[in-house]
Amino acid sequence: PPLTAQLSLLLCPGEKGDRGERGMQGKFGKTGVAGSRGHAGPKGQKGSVGAPGERCKSHYAAFSVGRKKPLHSNDYYQTLIFDTEFVNLYDHFNMFTGKFYCYVPGIYYFSLNVHTWNQKETYLHIMHNGAEVVILYAQVSDRSIMQSQSVMLELQEKDEVWVRLYKGERENAVFSDEYDAYITFSGHLIK
């Protein structure tokens, strides 16, 4: 055919052909920007009950003892033995030895109160494992008075704390009588 007829065949579209076969999948594109957070979903059902936990373990230690008998110094150091028990939790204070035995390690507060004797010196120590920690002292006087001493100590298990009457050159004594406890020694676990 002439050239013009050939050109018109190329420029004029023909009828639409049949759909071709599906091509192979292309490569994944770059990850897009994250979308905004969606709305909260509905509340779920209540869960089942869990296993029971361990009981809270609390440790205590406390004592308060008194003495109704006076005591005079001897030619040696004397452990102050107490005859009246106000509080003695779990028997940590031994009434026969006059000593507190630590079964619960921690910080303890101890206090000692005594009544002095007229014309006599009063000289005691609060002891910790054989060492003097603090002293309670009153000079010789015409008047008897109440004296006190206190201390906080960090104790380990099996430590011992007690009160000891000092062997002085002069007569050393603490006053009490059979009706009232003029001498008291107390201690308790703080932490």
Side-chain angles (χ1 to χ4, degrees), residues 85-156:
E85 190 177 79
F86 301 113
V87 172
N88 193 1
L89 200 59
Y90 311 121
D91 291 325
H92 290 182
F93 187 91
N94 187 309
M95 296 296 287
F96 297 103
T97 63
K99 294 183 178 183
F100 170 75
Y101 296 94
C102 178
Y103 293 98
V104 183
I107 308 294
Y108 283 79
Y109 177 82
F110 294 95
S111 65
L112 171 65
N113 297 282
V114 300
H115 194 280
T116 66
W117 202 308
N118 294 358
Q119 304 300 325
K120 294 182 176 134
E121 195 172 43
T122 301
Y123 199 159
L124 300 109
H125 287 116
I126 294 179
M127 306 291 293
H128 176 211
N129 292 340
E132 300 113 350
V133 179
V134 291
I135 188 171
L136 185 150
Y137 178 75
Q139 291 179 327
V140 175
S141 172
D142 294 337
R143 296 176 45 211
S144 60
I145 56 170
M146 292 296 292
Q147 289 280 91
S148 66
Q149 180 62 281
S150 59
V151 66
M152 277 196 288
L153 296 173
E154 184 170 1
L155 301 185
Q156 305 300 320

Side-chain angles (χ1 to χ4, degrees), residues 1-178:
L3 186 59
T4 55
Q6 288 178 1
L7 282 172
S8 77
L9 282 175
L10 288 173
L11 294 175
C12 291
E15 291 181 20
K16 188 171 183 179
D18 294 329
R19 185 179 181 121
E21 289 181 24
R22 184 176 179 129
M24 292 174 55
Q25 184 174 347
K27 294 180 182 176
F28 285 103
K30 293 182 181 177
T31 305
V33 179
S36 58
R37 187 182 178 100
H39 297 292
K43 186 174 181 178
Q45 292 181 347
K46 187 174 182 179
S48 58
V49 176
E54 274 190 51
R55 267 184 87 189
C56 179
K57 294 177 183 175
S58 297
H59 301 287
Y60 301 98
F63 74 91
S64 185
V65 292
R67 182 179 171 100
K68 292 183 177 180
K69 296 177 188 149
L71 183 66
H72 294 263
S73 64
N74 210 321
D75 58 351
Y76 57 90
Y77 296 109
Q78 292 169 270
T79 300
L80 203 56
I81 303 297
F82 296 87
D83 52 36
T84 305
E85 190 177 79
F86 301 113
V87 172
N88 193 1
L89 200 59
Y90 311 121
D91 291 325
H92 290 182
F93 187 91
N94 187 309
M95 296 296 287
F96 297 103
T97 63
K99 294 183 178 183
F100 170 75
Y101 296 94
C102 178
Y103 293 98
V104 183
I107 308 294
Y108 283 79
Y109 177 82
F110 294 95
S111 65
L112 171 65
N113 297 282
V114 300
H115 194 280
T116 66
W117 202 308
N118 294 358
Q119 304 300 325
K120 294 182 176 134
E121 195 172 43
T122 301
Y123 199 159
L124 300 109
H125 287 116
I126 294 179
M127 306 291 293
H128 176 211
N129 292 340
E132 300 113 350
V133 179
V134 291
I135 188 171
L136 185 150
Y137 178 75
Q139 291 179 327
V140 175
S141 172
D142 294 337
R143 296 176 45 211
S144 60
I145 56 170
M146 292 296 292
Q147 289 280 91
S148 66
Q149 180 62 281
S150 59
V151 66
M152 277 196 288
L153 296 173
E154 184 170 1
L155 301 185
Q156 305 300 320
E157 194 171 350
K158 298 182 182 176
D159 278 4
E160 300 174 352
V161 178
W162 73 97
V163 179
R164 181 181 77 178
L165 192 68
Y166 184 75
K167 60 167 188 179
E169 291 178 12
R170 289 184 260 185
E171 190 173 10
N172 179 16
V174 286
F175 174 81
S176 198
D177 65 34
E178 60 184 278

